[in-house]
Amino acid sequence: MSPTTEARPAVRHHSGAADAAPPPRPRRRPTSQQWAAWGFLAPVAVYLALFYAYPLYRNIDLSLRDYTVRSFVQGNAPFTGLKNYLTVFDDPTFAPALLHTMVFTAVCLVFQYAIGLALAVFFNQHFRLSATLRALFLVPWLLPLIVSASTWSWMLNSDSGVVNAALHAVGIGPVNWLTSPSWSLASVIVANIWIGVPFNLVVLYSGLQSIPASLYEAAALDGANAWQRFWRITFPLLRPVSAITLLLGLVYTLKVFDIIWIMTKGGPADSSTTFATWSYQLGFGNLLPAFGPGAAVGNLLVVAALMFGLVHVRAQRKQASS
């Protein structure tokens, strides 16, 4: 018997001579490339665990316990289950804050995307000074939020603001932009739209660069006008970029706090209160802070953002499969 024959596994003949199962393969040791991949992944995993997973866990735990200032320091708060969430739902501020959050988010998203898309198409013509003007449009996005919000507060001031001064010049009386319940929400919406347009411009303009110019040339030869080229070429091919732009804008707008707090502090009479400002007011805006209800409101924002994110992922998978 040759050595080759001895090395072969035993064969059991049964109903047509079926081969026996091969012996289990030995475990492979990680290669240097796999160790390198884990090495690059480890800092990201540690960062996500420390700055995302752990704070989210702490916020969930905070919303399920009756925390006071003393128990917050000592860490012996009693477990209350969903009591804090029921307190939030029964609060008279819940319905107005929910409505304001929905209106603020929807209006900001629509106008930021529409204006950003219009500017992106405009700058895609590559005329002279196009790059300079695009750089100037980035200024609102690059400024710190406290500077932008303070500037808008000064511009919309009832007594010395430039907006009321311009209205007075054309014969219109002053408007209490920040101190009137009828105008406070609209004022913070306008400020947030101004801040968010440059982000939409940059992302959508980058998406337009990936559309081949030959498609527009062929459409022009077929007699398509500018609107038809936009609606049948630009808009459909820009859909993936538009989806991620709207998703990121939605997540950002849901948690906007700085602009509203600096300009109106959620007032007057809660007329511009959103979930973000309400959560801060509950947790830090009173002499006796309600940490549990404040964390519960913050978790509602997290759930809302997560739901829209899952909808986006599902829509992307459906589009990829089709």
Side-chain angles (χ1 to χ4, degrees):
M1 183 177 296
S2 63
T4 305
T5 306
E6 293 178 355
R8 291 179 180 176
V11 178
R12 180 170 53 191
H13 298 278
H14 180 70
S15 300
D19 292 336
R25 296 180 180 180
R27 293 183 178 181
R28 295 181 179 180
R29 294 184 177 180
T31 62
S32 58
Q33 293 182 350
Q34 291 175 331
W35 282 116
W38 281 110
F40 282 110
L41 184 62
V44 179
V46 172
Y47 174 81
L48 292 176
L50 291 179
F51 296 100
Y52 285 89
Y54 180 72
L56 181 60
Y57 161 75
R58 289 291 299 156
N59 202 58
I60 294 175
D61 179 73
L62 199 65
S63 68
L64 298 177
R65 297 180 181 274
D66 184 16
Y67 273 97
T68 61
V69 176
R70 181 176 181 179
S71 61
F72 187 82
V73 176
Q74 296 179 352
N76 57 349
F79 181 80
T80 58
L82 300 178
K83 180 181 178 180
N84 290 323
Y85 291 92
L86 297 177
T87 302
V88 167
F89 293 147
D90 293 336
D91 196 299
T93 310
F94 176 79
L98 176 61
L99 177 62
H100 297 159
T101 302
M102 294 172 61
V103 172
F104 180 84
T105 303
V107 175
C108 288
L109 277 182
V110 170
F111 279 92
Q112 286 175 352
Y113 177 79
I115 298 173
L117 180 59
L119 290 174
V121 174
F122 174 72
F123 286 119
N124 198 39
Q125 306 303 317
H126 301 293
F127 53 90
R128 291 185 63 182
L129 299 180
S130 174
T132 303
L133 292 177
R134 275 190 286 117
L136 292 177
F137 268 100
L138 292 178
V139 172
W141 191 30
L142 298 177
L143 288 175
L145 289 178
I146 188 172
V147 175
S148 300
S150 300
T151 302
W152 276 98
S153 297
W154 168 74
M155 292 173 58
L156 297 177
N157 186 274
S158 301
D159 300 324
S160 59
V162 295
V163 175
N164 277 347
L167 294 178
H168 178 73
V170 296
I172 301 177
V175 178
N176 297 322
W177 299 103
L178 304 178
T179 58
S180 171
S182 302
W183 290 103
S184 59
L185 184 61
S187 300
V188 295
I189 286 176
V190 170
N192 190 65
I193 291 174
W194 179 79
I195 293 173
V197 163
F199 171 77
N200 288 259
L201 167 61
V202 170
V203 178
L204 295 173
Y205 180 81
S206 301
L208 288 175
Q209 303 305 301
S210 63
I211 301 178
S214 58
L215 296 178
Y216 295 103
E217 297 173 358
L221 292 176
D222 292 338
N225 55 32
W227 172 252
Q228 290 173 334
R229 292 196 297 271
F230 170 78
W231 190 250
R232 299 187 178 182
I233 298 177
T234 304
F235 194 71
L237 294 181
L238 206 60
R239 190 173 300 168
V241 180
S242 299
I244 192 63
T245 303
L246 290 173
L247 177 63
L248 293 176
L250 173 70
V251 174
Y252 168 79
T253 309
L254 278 175
K255 64 182 183 64
V256 167
F257 166 78
D258 316 65
I259 301 167
I260 301 175
W261 190 257
I262 293 172
M263 293 180 64
T264 65
K265 287 184 170 59
D270 294 333
S271 58
S272 59
T273 296
T274 61
F275 275 179
T277 59
W278 188 30
S279 176
Y280 179 83
Q281 286 175 338
L282 290 172
F284 304 99
N286 301 313
L287 293 177
L288 296 177
F291 293 119
V297 176
N299 287 332
L300 293 179
L301 285 176
V302 174
V303 171
L306 181 61
M307 289 176 58
F308 283 106
L310 293 177
V311 170
H312 170 75
V313 172
R314 185 173 181 180
Q316 291 296 102
R317 289 181 178 178
K318 185 177 181 180
Q319 182 179 358
S321 61
S322 60

